[in-house]
Amino acid sequence: MLPVKMGNTYHHHSEEKKPLKWFASPLVEDHVKDDGEKEHQSPAITRENTQSVLDSEFHDPNAEAGLQLEVEVCTQELRDMPSFKRHAEATNQELFFDLFFVANLTTFTSLKEINDSASLRAYVGFFALLWLTWYSNSLYDVRFTADCIFERIAKALHFGVMVGFAVVGPAWEPGKPTSSLQKYQVLSFILMVSRLVLAAQYSVTLFFVRKHKRTVLPLSLVIGSTLIAALMYGSITGALPKETCNLELGVCKQFTTKVHYAWYIISAAEIVITVGISCYWRVISFKGTHIVQRMSLLTLIILGEGIIVVCKAISKIVKNGSQFDTQLTGQIVSSVLIIYLLYMLYFDRMHEEHFGTIKQQVWASLHFFLHIMLVLVLQGVSYLIMWVVALIRMDRVDEKFREIEGLSLTGAYANGTLFADALRRKIDVYLWNTIPKGVDASKALETWNSTLTVLAQSFDNHLTDEQNLTTVDMITKSLNTAESMAIQTLFDSLSISVPKTAPKAVEEPKRKFFDKAALLQKYETRFELVFDYVFLSAGLALTFMAIIAFVSLPPIKRHLRQYVRLLTIVLIGFAVCLICLINTSKPSQKHYMESNWMLPTICLLFFFCVLVSHLRPPARWRGIGGHHKWHGA
């Protein structure tokens, strides 16, 4: 009997549509017998397949009879191995699921600002849970998904899980004192539902491949680990402290919980177990799947999210009436080039062909770290643009304050009302009249107006008695407070805030006065954090791209020249990370942060990495070691 031609059978979206069934087999169907029973294909009995099975079993190479028997046994085992349907590209359902991922990421990014180390950890933690949930679904979809009513219902539930993430996102502040357990309960519930649905999907797959004995154990282990993860997520809800509220006073007791660490550990453990099982039992591995395209599409989506963030930053700048001078234009051009260079560094090293069953799974899992770095660097790039704009506008506000203050010292104003009105006109035209819609500056404006009133009165008192040092102190404090309100409003109009735990303003009897130096220190501290994580994430992104490219190198390209290129990119990545060491000298760091060279520095280093990836040796060197070795470098 001649063996049936096998391998990974690819199904394109153009195939004839058939009525949906309640359940569909993930196996390739050979033909339908006369009695209606379906028969499934098995892999082709080839020398490569036979040798792979022989290598995994013990045999005596010196016993010819035993070897012949083992070949027959292996042939039978190969006939028993299932052949799963493979798609040449991502299905429409997978792409639709990716839209929910990017919608969650975009929404969370727009709502949650990174302004301290706690918010940075919270951002990374939320992205980790979102990414690991997406990856858990993708590990199933690329191997076993089959279009049927059950799968569509399961996918609808997964869409609901993603909507649940959107519900939790706005209230996501892990580790901070809280009196409401709702966000923890909701997240534990949706994570449990996600894993229960996955366990049901794997169980249906196991039902259809149960006759193939080699698949029973690995799939059972995956189902077991997924169910255990679901139970652990569910048990977290019961382990949470009970809310205690005083109904008469309307006050609830606040508590701090570390439950989010349990979510991170469980999500990471189940991914490690699922990938580890597929590495050990090759029968359910990712060979022949579109996992490479799946990861590259998500990388493209994350880069696209970076473009959205940068464009939003530009729109905020336009709404604030900022002029696009050479400084601002250079920052915008650098940010766009950074995204484009990241795109080239990743996709120019993309290899679509299969490069090893285990390596492929390691390659896919490493994208978790790469995607976190990309999200952080792209988010930070938009903040750095805002920082440069804020510095430019602050300098101009300060110039206007110093101009009016200087005129007051020369006697240009006959009374305090003229002095205050001159200051009001200068700042109103530049700042208060350009506040974009949606920015609530009512409190700052109220403080601004009351401060100008105090300023006018103090100036009049000073004109009456120039030896009165109290009036001089009141004028200084009033000017300081007025400028602080202008600076705070300037940052608020750019959607830049400082942590709520920041020190409060110093209160004088019946009036509030603000220290401009203290306020500026808060914003500087916030952007020092942005500076550090942008350069660290940019350097680590280069490093992980080089590692991912190394793992995916096909054998034909594994030579010294490629290793040198990848090593150079890693070294440049380390150099970008080491730029953060400038914070050991605060004056140097402040000088660098006030310059316009932060984004251009990253851009130039990324451009150098692209050059390293594409430069070819001189023509006279190509013949050394054989011309064919240099071809296609």
Side-chain angles (χ1 to χ4, degrees):
M1 176 180 176
L2 294 175
V4 182
K5 183 179 179 181
M6 279 302 299
N8 294 318
T9 304
Y10 293 94
H11 294 258
H12 299 276
H13 302 299
S14 60
E15 64 183 2
E16 183 181 354
K17 299 295 183 182
K18 298 179 181 179
L20 283 178
K21 303 175 184 178
W22 279 100
F23 298 94
S25 171
L27 299 172
V28 178
E29 295 174 358
D30 185 6
H31 63 277
V32 180
K33 297 182 180 179
D34 295 336
D35 57 0
E37 181 183 353
K38 293 181 179 179
E39 182 178 311
H40 302 291
Q41 293 178 331
S42 298
I45 304 172
T46 64
R47 178 179 179 182
E48 180 183 0
N49 288 342
T50 304
Q51 187 62 40
S52 66
V53 176
L54 285 173
D55 291 341
S56 63
E57 305 288 344
F58 174 79
H59 64 277
D60 183 6
N62 297 321
E64 295 183 2
L67 181 59
Q68 181 62 31
L69 179 61
E70 286 188 12
V71 171
E72 294 177 359
V73 172
C74 292
T75 301
Q76 182 60 36
E77 288 182 358
L78 281 169
R79 289 197 179 98
D80 187 57
M81 290 179 67
S83 180
F84 295 101
K85 293 179 182 178
R86 299 303 188 205
H87 298 275
E89 55 188 16
T91 63
N92 291 331
Q93 280 192 348
E94 289 176 305
L95 295 176
F96 195 53
F97 186 64
D98 290 348
L99 293 179
F100 280 84
F101 177 92
V102 69
N104 263 301
L105 182 59
T106 303
T107 303
F108 185 75
T109 299
S110 62
L111 293 176
K112 287 298 177 181
E113 192 178 358
I114 301 176
N115 51 24
D116 58 4
S117 57
S119 59
L120 176 59
R121 291 192 299 269
Y123 188 93
V124 173
F126 185 86
F127 179 83
L129 288 177
L130 182 65
W131 193 94
L132 292 172
T133 300
W134 174 89
Y135 192 40
S136 297
N137 283 272
S138 298
L139 292 180
Y140 172 84
D141 289 339
V142 298
R143 294 181 292 174
F144 308 122
T145 189
D147 194 16
C148 62
I149 296 176
F150 167 76
E151 284 291 339
R152 292 194 177 190
I153 293 174
K155 191 59 67 176
L157 292 174
H158 288 306
F159 294 157
V161 168
M162 284 294 174
V163 173
F165 273 100
V167 172
V168 175
W172 180 254
E173 292 181 341
K176 288 189 175 182
T178 180
S179 58
S180 175
L181 296 169
Q182 185 177 9
K183 56 179 174 291
Y184 299 108
Q185 293 169 340
V186 170
L187 186 56
S188 291
F189 178 76
I190 64 176
L191 290 174
M192 179 186 69
V193 169
S194 173
R195 275 43 175 195
L196 287 176
V197 175
L198 269 179
Q201 290 176 288
Y202 279 115
S203 299
V204 171
T205 300
L206 177 59
F207 173 79
F208 280 105
V209 301
R210 65 190 185 281
K211 294 182 180 179
H212 303 279
K213 305 301 181 183
R214 298 170 67 91
T215 62
V216 173
L217 179 58
L219 282 176
S220 298
L221 291 175
V222 173
I223 295 170
S225 64
T226 307
L227 285 174
I228 291 173
L231 292 174
M232 294 178 71
Y233 288 129
S235 64
I236 288 176
T237 303
L240 290 173
K242 302 297 182 182
E243 289 185 2
T244 55
C245 297
N246 189 325
L247 298 180
E248 295 181 357
L249 300 177
V251 178
C252 295
K253 180 182 178 181
Q254 289 194 336
F255 63 92
T256 303
T257 178
K258 303 293 185 181
V259 67
H260 52 285
Y261 292 120
W263 294 328
Y264 304 152
I265 294 171
I266 297 170
S267 298
E270 61 176 314
I271 293 296
V272 170
I273 292 173
T274 302
V275 173
I277 290 172
S278 62
C279 287
Y280 188 79
W281 284 277
R282 306 288 186 88
V283 68
I284 60 169
S285 70
F286 297 91
K287 185 175 183 179
T289 65
H290 56 282
I291 187 67
V292 173
Q293 187 199 49
R294 200 84 175 86
M295 282 299 165
S296 61
L297 284 175
L298 187 62
T299 305
L300 195 63
I301 287 173
I302 290 174
L303 292 174
E305 165 63 18
I307 297 173
I308 293 174
V309 171
V310 171
C311 289
K312 284 183 177 180
I314 295 173
S315 66
K316 289 177 184 177
I317 294 170
V318 173
K319 288 181 179 179
N320 278 274
S322 299
Q323 298 178 355
F324 283 81
D325 53 13
T326 55
Q327 288 178 306
L328 180 55
T329 303
Q331 300 301 309
I332 295 174
V333 170
S334 296
S335 64
V336 174
L337 286 177
I338 286 172
I339 298 174
Y340 186 43
L341 293 170
L342 284 171
Y343 165 83
M344 287 192 287
L345 285 169
Y346 179 82
F347 284 96
D348 287 350
R349 289 288 175 181
M350 178 66 62
H351 300 288
E352 295 289 345
E353 63 271 16
H354 182 74
F355 48 82
T357 302
I358 295 179
K359 288 180 180 179
Q360 201 173 52
Q361 295 170 74
V362 172
W363 178 90
S365 300
L366 284 173
H367 278 71
F368 170 71
F369 305 100
L370 173 62
H371 288 164
I372 286 181
M373 296 303 110
L374 289 179
V375 166
L376 289 179
V377 70
L378 296 175
Q379 179 75 0
V381 162
S382 67
Y383 286 155
L384 292 182
I385 296 175
M386 295 294 195
W387 173 248
V388 172
V389 173
L391 288 178
I392 295 173
R393 290 178 66 84
M394 274 197 306
D395 287 342
R396 292 174 182 171
V397 166
D398 187 68
E399 288 174 3
K400 297 179 185 299
F401 266 87
R402 300 294 79 80
E403 178 186 350
I404 301 299
E405 186 180 5
L407 290 173
S408 68
L409 296 176
T410 63
Y413 306 110
N415 54 57
T417 302
L418 295 176
F419 178 34
D421 285 346
L423 182 61
R424 188 192 304 275
R425 286 193 300 271
K426 278 282 186 180
I427 305 303
D428 279 0
V429 173
Y430 185 74
L431 179 65
W432 296 105
N433 295 341
T434 62
I435 298 175
K437 293 181 179 180
V439 177
D440 184 11
S442 57
K443 292 183 179 179
L445 186 58
E446 181 181 352
T447 304
W448 163 265
N449 290 325
S450 62
T451 301
L452 291 185
T453 302
V454 174
L455 177 64
Q457 295 173 353
S458 301
F459 190 80
D460 287 335
N461 293 333
H462 179 68
L463 291 178
T464 303
D465 183 6
E466 295 185 357
Q467 302 301 320
N468 190 344
L469 297 180
T470 302
T471 58
V472 175
D473 183 60
M474 290 294 291
I475 292 173
T476 302
K477 288 184 177 180
S478 297
L479 286 172
N480 208 338
T481 300
E483 190 168 359
S484 297
M485 289 299 97
I487 292 173
Q488 181 177 312
T489 304
L490 187 153
F491 277 100
D492 288 343
S493 63
L494 294 172
S495 300
I496 300 172
S497 63
V498 292
K500 294 180 181 180
T501 55
K504 296 181 180 179
V506 179
E507 293 190 6
E508 295 289 337
K510 298 183 180 181
R511 303 190 188 280
K512 284 187 176 181
F513 292 96
F514 293 81
D515 185 0
K516 185 183 74 172
L519 182 66
L520 290 176
Q521 183 60 44
K522 299 173 192 175
Y523 288 110
E524 287 179 8
T525 301
R526 183 257 169 91
F527 276 95
E528 284 174 1
L529 173 68
V530 175
F531 174 86
D532 289 339
Y533 80 71
V534 165
F535 278 89
L536 280 174
S537 57
L540 291 176
L542 288 178
T543 303
F544 281 112
M545 280 187 179
I547 294 173
I548 287 172
F550 171 76
V551 172
S552 64
L553 271 180
I556 194 174
K557 291 187 177 181
R558 289 186 174 272
H559 44 69
L560 181 60
R561 185 176 64 260
Q562 294 291 350
Y563 295 152
V564 170
R565 287 177 173 176
L566 295 177
L567 180 60
T568 303
I569 294 176
V570 170
L571 293 177
I572 295 174
F574 285 155
V576 176
C577 292
L578 292 176
I579 294 177
C580 295
L581 294 179
I582 197 175
N583 61 15
T584 57
S585 173
K586 290 300 180 181
S588 299
Q589 184 185 30
K590 185 177 181 180
H591 178 73
Y592 185 56
M593 288 178 62
E594 291 177 353
S595 71
N596 300 314
W597 278 99
M598 289 182 292
L599 291 180
T601 299
I602 298 175
C603 184
L604 290 174
L605 290 172
F606 281 9
F607 179 69
F608 183 72
C609 289
V610 172
L611 288 181
V612 170
S613 298
H614 291 278
L615 281 179
R616 299 174 184 271
R620 64 179 181 273
W621 291 0
R622 294 177 186 168
I624 301 176
H627 177 77
H628 65 281
K629 292 184 179 180
W630 296 97
H631 182 69

